[in-house]
Amino acid sequence: MFGIGKFGIVFGALSLASTAAFALPKATEIYPDMGLGYNIGNTMEVPGNQGGPTGWGNPFPDAAYVKAIKDAGFNTVRIPCAWDSHASNGTINAGWLDSVKTVVDLVINNGMYAILNSHWDGGWLEDHVFDGKGFDKTGEVTISAATVAAKQESYWKQIATKFAAYDEHLIFASANEPGVNDPWNGGADNGQWAFDETRMQVLKSYHEACLKAVRSTGGNNATRIVVVQAPRTEIDKSPLLASIYPTDPAGDGYTMAEVHFYPYQFSLMTGGDEDWGKMFYYWEDQTPGNDAAHTCSGSALGSKSSIDQLFGGLKSRFYDKGIPVVIGEMGAVKRFSLTGDNLKAHLKARAAWYGYTVTAAKKNGLVPCVWDTGDEGDGNFTIIRRQVNKFGGNVGDITDFETLNAMREAYGLAALPGNSIDSIVNQNPDIPEGEGKGAELTYKTLTSDSSEVGTLRINLSGSNTDLSKYVGIEISLKGSVTTAGGCTGAGDGCGEYGWTSMDLFMMTGSSWAWFDAPVMEQADKELDGSKFQTFQIKWDDFRTKPTDLNSANAIGLNLYGTQVTGTIVFDYIKGIKADGSTEIIDDFDKKPQAEGIATAKVVPISGTSAIKPAAVAATSKMFVNVQPGLVTASFSTTSAGMAKAMLLNTKGEVIAQQSFSTSKGANAVELRSTYRGVAMLIVRQGSQQLVQKVILK
């Protein structure tokens, strides 16, 4: 990699020996050129054991996508990155380093700055900012801070060596959000375990391990900019970083500080109002005017006054002392639970908030980097399209012109022609009062050889959180989903075993315990596209009887399958009382949350055209018992013959199978597997096929 530095000095592999005599520009010299920043989120930071860069639905970044980032007006790209899950015995895989280099080169070759960080990656550093006894998501643990720091130093020495020849357009970032996953145990910090000066000393040692490693590799790394993070990257914790700032062997001027900015009620809060505060759909004067309770204004976090105060504090704390600040992540979700004019007001409010926030950042010596995950469903941040297989269009299409143009204006750039708000609102129209409403979910799998899931989720709040007054759940739905053969992958069963199943699920209590139950199998019904049917699932029908029903967090339905297409309309979700009566839990007045292969919209029930039913095979009953390493299926057949039993993992791969003979009447088959997690059990004899989701222990 060769590059021309800020002062016209050519840096490259052949000039490493000479570059040591020339320091790269200081952070305050680079800052004015960094401009507006953008995150390639949910990609390079996906842990290797969760599928790597494409594991969370995004394609690997290509030239068209990165060029679109540049063309949109961004001049800095933050690349969240995993390292630990791509390492063996402490050594980062060479192929992974090459993959990261590919993305870094795309960014720098487009004339942008690249910020390469060490992201969460299982929390090996981020969740362990303490020495000795402390807490992570598993509970109380004992951690050696020296051991974590040694791993940090080792990884950054390998990374820095790989990128030693790059000029100042490559910036390293020590961590991501250190301590953000501290448990909620009644501590001093909004319920979290307190982050105090003792823990800041530990975080300082982690940052200094990174700095030591980078500087030790010499050349351009001797003065390369390194970004260090405040505790949890929370602005109100930045005074701790300022007072216990890491020492840089390069001297002053070659580091930046990092915070993130997600004012919760406006940016991230979903699931409805809480007793401690409301969801903020609107912002300042961008509001319907009759909903002040849901408008972020005054002194609320995320309002104009709070942004000015918080960013002004960062300026005096860091920038005025020669340390520019990177807002490594910032953003506010799109809430598609709103419809019509309310949705339009919400989207305009988001755009205005983004514009004001980046303007204030620029004014106070901050580099604002917007968060972008690639998804375009409810709760998304996306500005530039990349998941074209799911959402259509082309890689690089702008999906949020209003937000982008508000930020471009802050940097003196002309507005790009386009209208996103009207197209989104037209897909989520108001439905006249008095007309019945329902939720229409459309399902379409993206691959032909892997199991995928589409989720309808209802986040509960208020009185709806207490489900203990019910004995079960009733849903009303109509529609059809079909499966088809023809997958292109190689392997046993490819193109032959398209399947689908539906489960009701719930999450309860402080631990968000998961419980689920089959819907069609339990009710012994098929989907009907011509009329609504009711399905009742009692608590006793669940695979494990639910607990903590008085504090339920969410309920919903998962549609599992391969090679699935179809549409289902849900009329309501009700609770069933002991006397057999029912009452509404959710009537879909607002668009529900849809995830995975499902997309949702609110539709009038009375005006919904009948969905043509498709041929869906009846689901026969099968009793399944799961023990560690063993699955036993009991079922009945109408005739004797040869049969085959298979277990498929969520990728559609066969993990266990057995051919066997059946007799007329009751039969049983056993399959053994060391696999753990969700799988599909398929038993097939002639034209009869039994399918059930199982959780292997």
Side-chain angles (χ1 to χ4, degrees):
M1 169 73 193
F2 292 87
I4 299 177
K6 185 176 181 69
F7 300 118
I9 301 169
V10 176
F11 301 108
L14 300 179
S15 60
L16 275 177
S18 62
T19 57
F22 301 97
L24 293 182
K26 289 192 172 185
T28 52
E29 297 172 285
I30 288 176
Y31 159 74
D33 296 332
M34 293 179 69
L36 184 60
Y38 180 91
N39 275 270
I40 300 179
N42 286 13
T43 309
M44 305 305 289
E45 82 272 30
V46 180
N49 56 9
Q50 295 184 31
T54 61
W56 292 352
N58 286 312
F60 192 90
D62 61 12
Y65 175 60
V66 177
K67 183 178 183 299
I69 297 172
K70 176 65 175 180
D71 291 344
F74 297 96
N75 210 43
T76 293
V77 175
R78 183 171 178 262
I79 307 171
C81 198
W83 302 104
D84 188 56
S85 61
H86 294 280
S88 299
N89 299 319
T91 301
I92 301 171
N93 182 280
W96 178 244
L97 284 165
D98 287 340
S99 294
V100 176
K101 179 180 182 297
T102 297
V103 181
V104 170
D105 287 350
L106 286 171
V107 171
I108 293 178
N109 290 341
N110 273 280
M112 296 183 286
Y113 289 86
I115 300 176
L116 182 62
N117 88 344
S118 179
H119 216 71
W120 176 72
D121 200 14
W124 66 271
L125 180 150
E126 184 167 298
D127 295 353
H128 299 127
V129 188
F130 52 88
D131 189 33
K133 285 189 177 180
F135 302 90
D136 65 11
K137 288 190 291 296
T138 66
E140 187 175 77
V141 294
T142 299
I143 295 296
S144 166
T147 300
V148 175
K151 179 184 280 192
Q152 167 88 327
E153 182 177 347
S154 173
Y155 285 160
W156 275 110
K157 190 166 186 177
Q158 296 173 61
I159 299 164
T161 299
K162 178 71 174 182
F163 294 99
Y166 285 61
D167 68 13
E168 71 271 14
H169 286 86
L170 177 60
I171 296 168
F172 293 148
S174 170
N176 175 48
E177 294 178 337
V180 76
N181 291 314
D182 288 342
W184 294 82
N185 65 348
D189 295 340
N190 294 321
Q192 282 187 288
W193 180 32
F195 207 112
D196 54 17
E197 291 187 0
T198 299
R199 295 185 66 195
M200 185 62 227
Q201 290 287 354
V202 173
L203 179 55
K204 177 174 179 279
S205 74
Y206 295 169
H207 289 328
E208 288 180 343
C210 171
L211 287 162
K212 177 183 176 182
V214 173
R215 303 306 180 217
S216 72
T217 61
N220 291 344
N221 287 332
T223 52
R224 184 177 309 286
I225 302 302
V226 176
V227 183
V228 295
Q229 292 69 37
R232 301 184 188 135
T233 55
E234 293 178 357
I235 295 178
D236 64 359
K237 290 287 180 289
S238 64
L240 273 175
L241 176 64
S243 63
I244 307 176
Y245 200 79
T247 300
D248 184 0
D252 294 339
Y254 294 100
T255 62
M256 293 182 175
E258 181 177 353
V259 296
H260 294 175
F261 191 51
Y262 296 112
Y264 181 73
Q265 287 172 264
F266 181 74
S267 289
L268 299 175
M269 188 174 175
T270 58
D273 298 336
E274 300 286 353
D275 54 7
W276 52 262
K278 306 288 188 182
M279 290 176 60
F280 292 153
Y281 300 106
Y282 315 113
W283 186 76
E284 299 290 354
D285 61 342
Q286 298 294 326
T287 175
N290 59 351
D291 199 358
H294 294 102
T295 300
C296 180
S297 60
S299 60
L301 183 63
S303 66
K304 287 182 179 181
S305 64
S306 78
I307 291 170
D308 292 341
Q309 179 184 6
L310 292 170
F311 289 9
L314 291 171
K315 180 178 184 295
S316 62
R317 204 169 293 133
F318 296 102
Y319 184 79
D320 291 347
K321 298 176 182 178
I323 306 172
V325 178
V326 175
I327 304 180
E329 297 177 17
M330 57 160 280
V333 297
K334 302 183 187 87
R335 294 188 174 100
F336 293 161
S337 59
L338 300 171
T339 58
D341 290 342
N342 288 336
L343 177 58
K344 179 177 286 190
H346 163 65
L347 295 174
K348 287 183 176 180
R350 288 182 68 259
W353 178 85
Y354 272 88
Y356 192 91
T357 302
V358 300
T359 299
K362 183 173 181 286
K363 174 183 176 182
N364 287 284
L366 318 178
V367 179
C369 299
V370 298
W371 184 245
D372 195 317
T373 63
D375 183 59
E376 296 180 35
D378 187 29
N380 82 82
F381 298 87
T382 299
I383 295 171
I384 301 173
R385 175 165 292 152
R386 42 182 157 153
Q387 295 184 17
V388 295
N389 287 341
K390 185 173 184 179
F391 299 107
N394 302 299
V395 171
D397 287 349
I398 303 302
T399 64
D400 191 344
F401 280 101
E402 289 77 14
T403 293
L404 178 60
N405 283 332
M407 295 189 294
R408 285 174 62 91
E409 181 180 358
Y411 280 85
L413 302 174
L416 298 176
N419 182 315
S420 302
I421 289 179
D422 285 349
S423 62
I424 292 173
V425 172
N426 289 338
Q427 296 172 27
N428 298 273
D430 278 328
I431 295 173
E433 288 298 323
E435 187 162 12
K437 300 175 184 178
E440 180 181 284
L441 270 74
T442 300
Y443 303 88
K444 184 177 182 181
T445 50
L446 305 182
T447 65
S448 59
D449 57 358
S450 298
S451 169
E452 296 173 273
V453 59
T455 299
L456 163 67
R457 173 169 162 163
I458 308 300
N459 294 314
L460 300 175
S461 62
S463 61
N464 280 346
T465 61
D466 185 4
L467 301 184
S468 63
K469 55 189 174 183
Y470 305 126
V471 297
I473 297 293
E474 178 180 290
I475 60 174
S476 175
L477 57 84
K478 69 176 180 178
S480 65
V481 290
T482 60
T483 63
C487 68
T488 58
D492 192 3
C494 181
E496 186 177 4
Y497 295 106
W499 53 265
T500 185
S501 69
M502 180 179 288
D503 275 13
L504 174 73
F505 69 84
M506 68 168 59
M507 290 173 280
T508 67
S510 59
S511 64
W512 288 71
W514 173 276
F515 305 97
D516 58 357
V519 174
M520 307 302 171
E521 295 95 323
Q522 195 67 42
D524 198 22
K525 293 181 182 179
E526 300 178 31
L527 284 173
D528 189 328
S530 62
K531 62 182 180 181
F532 282 99
Q533 299 182 90
T534 58
F535 295 79
Q536 290 195 340
I537 302 93
K538 304 293 182 65
W539 302 147
D540 290 338
D541 298 331
F542 278 65
R543 295 182 174 95
T544 302
K545 191 171 181 178
T547 59
D548 293 326
L549 286 166
N550 60 331
S551 57
N553 303 303
I555 57 175
L557 292 117
N558 277 339
L559 181 81
Y560 300 91
T562 60
Q563 307 167 58
V564 174
T565 58
T567 300
I568 298 176
V569 178
F570 296 85
D571 187 3
Y572 58 74
I573 295 180
K574 291 182 177 180
I576 308 169
K577 295 184 177 181
D579 63 3
S581 63
T582 61
E583 64 181 13
I584 292 289
I585 294 175
D586 195 278
D587 203 18
F588 303 113
D589 285 334
K590 293 183 178 180
K591 182 178 175 181
Q593 182 172 329
E595 301 170 357
I597 63 170
T599 56
K601 63 180 180 180
V602 176
V603 294
I605 293 297
S606 60
T608 302
S609 299
I611 301 169
K612 293 181 180 179
V616 180
T619 306
S620 300
K621 290 185 177 296
M622 174 169 55
F623 178 78
V624 179
N625 180 264
V626 180
Q627 300 294 329
L630 177 67
V631 178
T632 303
S634 303
F635 57 96
S636 295
T637 61
T638 57
S639 61
M642 291 300 298
K644 186 174 185 179
M646 304 170 61
L647 282 171
L648 279 68
N649 64 17
T650 55
K651 295 181 180 179
E653 300 167 338
V654 177
I655 55 177
Q657 60 181 315
Q658 180 179 333
S659 296
F660 61 102
S661 298
T662 65
S663 57
K664 183 178 179 180
N667 290 272
V669 62
E670 292 184 348
L671 291 173
R672 296 184 180 274
S673 174
T674 59
Y675 184 85
R676 301 293 179 266
V678 177
M680 292 304 299
L681 172 63
I682 300 173
V683 177
R684 185 174 185 181
Q685 181 193 27
S687 60
Q688 182 182 15
Q689 181 168 293
L690 310 176
V691 181
Q692 186 165 321
K693 190 188 79 167
V694 294
I695 309 295
L696 301 183
K697 303 176 182 179

